[in-house]
Amino acid sequence: MTAKTQEIDDDNFAVSDATHFRASFQRSFRNLNEKQQSIFSFETFQKHLKEDLMGILDEIEDIQQSYASKGMREWNFTFGLMNSLLIFYIFGAYPGHFWILYLLQSSCWLSFKFISMWRAKPLCEIFYYFDFCWVMNFLMVSFLIVNNLPASR
């Protein structure tokens, strides 16, 4: 095939771009001499792969350290997961008693969150409680307390 014919074939190809790219890459690779082909050896690939994987693992450790410095520790994660499982279990097994668990946990967590938002630096974050989700949680806790008082029965 002459250079002119190849040029016409390359310009007017009837195959997909991927096939054209693959054929072009194969032609380029065949044109490399033996010395240049040694660059693409399996040992070199393994070395670069190992370096890349070690870089990824270092990045993961950095992310883990940043989460740990922000309070995301193994104990916190385990406690949160077990708490979620407890909530799912109580909701499924004893739906009539779910309100008790909700009331106890909401009282503890809302007060803890209130204190941490009040002490937040540099700005107090207490006005975030006017967000819809917080208002609904306060209303639900208030409803459960008022509805389950002994005098209201």
Side-chain angles (χ1 to χ4, degrees):
M1 179 180 274
T2 65
K4 180 127 177 113
T5 309
Q6 182 180 1
E7 194 175 288
I8 291 170
D9 288 341
D10 286 345
D11 290 339
N12 301 321
F13 61 91
V15 293
S16 69
D17 289 337
T19 307
H20 175 69
F21 177 75
R22 185 171 19 139
S24 174
F25 179 76
Q26 287 172 345
R27 276 194 309 272
S28 299
F29 191 74
R30 271 182 284 187
N31 292 334
L32 293 173
N33 61 28
E34 292 298 320
K35 185 177 179 184
Q36 290 172 327
Q37 286 182 4
S38 68
I39 294 172
F40 298 107
S41 68
F42 185 70
E43 292 80 20
T44 307
F45 173 75
Q46 279 185 324
K47 180 182 144 197
H48 289 296
L49 181 64
K50 184 178 179 182
E51 290 172 359
D52 290 343
L53 288 176
M54 293 308 289
I56 291 170
L57 290 175
D58 289 341
E59 185 67 27
I60 289 172
E61 285 182 20
D62 292 343
I63 292 170
Q64 181 182 3
Q65 292 299 323
S66 72
Y67 280 136
S69 67
K70 294 176 186 175
M72 181 61 178
R73 292 186 172 63
E74 188 175 339
W75 168 250
N76 294 354
F77 178 78
T78 305
F79 179 74
L81 181 65
M82 296 308 269
N83 184 37
S84 297
L85 293 175
L86 174 69
I87 290 170
F88 295 147
Y89 176 73
I90 295 295
F91 188 74
Y94 306 102
H97 295 91
F98 178 73
W99 67 272
I100 298 170
L101 178 67
Y102 180 81
L103 186 62
L104 291 173
Q105 287 196 354
S106 295
S107 300
C108 293
W109 293 123
L110 287 176
S111 60
F112 175 75
K113 186 69 176 168
F114 180 82
I115 292 168
S116 67
M117 289 176 98
W118 185 267
R119 294 180 181 169
K121 300 292 180 197
L123 298 173
C124 178
E125 299 173 350
I126 203 69
F127 292 113
Y128 285 116
Y129 278 124
F130 290 115
D131 190 25
F132 179 76
C133 64
W134 289 111
V135 170
M136 290 298 112
N137 274 298
F138 281 121
L139 288 176
M140 181 57 105
V141 169
S142 302
F143 172 77
L144 288 174
I145 289 172
V146 170
N147 194 35
N148 292 303
L149 289 175
S152 66
R153 291 184 182 172

